[in-house]
């Protein structure tokens, strides 16, 4: 069942915002903690946007560990959708992405390749 846990809130059904003001019901799972039926709404919106600017980026930026750049968001998405990484590794890489962004102001190509290699070891770099 772990694969069904909402990746935005981690199954809590709530997210704290970065300012620590309060917790809000998770917009991805609406408080259920499950990914459930969010995927359908997801894809419709993406069709009107460039592939690197997914709604998940905006969602992630609301959470405590969201990347701030489009590259970072895309990378975070690849990490969270990775089939080879465990939950621990995913969380660690997401933190790495956020830290890298705050240090460099963006994701460097070298960094993107490095993360991508871990998230999708079988795939050639795009
Ligand atoms: Zn959620």
């Amino acid at each position: 069942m772990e694969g069904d846990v909402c990746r935005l809130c981690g199954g809590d059904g709530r997210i704290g915002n970065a300012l620590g003001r309060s917790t809000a019901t998770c917009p991805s799972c609406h408080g259920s903690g499950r990914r459930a039926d969010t995927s359908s709404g997801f894809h419709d919106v993406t069709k009107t946007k460039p592939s690197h600017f997914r709604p998940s980026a905006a969602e992630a930026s609301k959470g405590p560990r969201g990347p701030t750049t489009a590259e970072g968001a895309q990378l975070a998405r690849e990490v969270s959708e990775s089939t080879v990484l465990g939950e621990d590794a995913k969380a660690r890489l997401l933190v790495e992405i956020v830290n890298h962004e705050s240090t460099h102001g963006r994701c460097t190509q070298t960094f993107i390749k490095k993360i991508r290699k871990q998230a999708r070891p079988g795939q050639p770099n795009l």
Side-chain angles (χ1 to χ4, degrees):
M1 281 307 231
E2 279 180 17
D4 292 325
V5 171
C6 172
R7 65 196 165 88
L8 183 58
C9 63
D12 289 336
R14 284 172 291 125
I15 53 168
N17 73 33
L19 300 175
R21 283 188 311 197
S22 60
T23 54
T25 301
C26 174
S28 180
C29 63
H30 303 289
S32 71
R34 303 295 191 80
R35 294 176 70 164
D37 47 6
T38 54
S39 52
S40 53
F42 241 109
H43 292 295
D44 294 347
V45 198
T46 63
K47 285 174 185 159
T48 61
K49 307 215 172 197
S51 61
H52 62 273
F53 195 73
R54 303 287 183 117
S56 59
E59 284 176 15
S61 69
K62 291 178 199 157
R65 55 185 184 183
T68 55
T69 65
E71 298 102 316
Q74 166 67 18
L75 209 49
R77 199 174 63 84
E78 287 179 24
V79 166
S80 61
E81 288 177 358
S82 171
T83 53
V84 297
L85 294 171
E87 291 304 315
D88 285 0
K90 287 180 185 180
R92 187 167 45 78
L93 288 177
L94 287 172
V95 169
E96 249 189 86
I97 292 168
V98 173
N99 286 345
H100 182 88
E101 282 186 339
S102 63
T103 310
H104 296 74
R106 59 184 284 273
C107 286
T108 61
Q109 284 303 312
T110 312
F111 180 74
I112 291 171
K113 281 181 190 167
K114 181 186 126 187
I115 297 293
R116 207 166 256 170
K117 206 184 279 181
Q118 295 180 67
R120 306 154 79 176
Q123 306 244 353
N125 288 317
L126 299 173

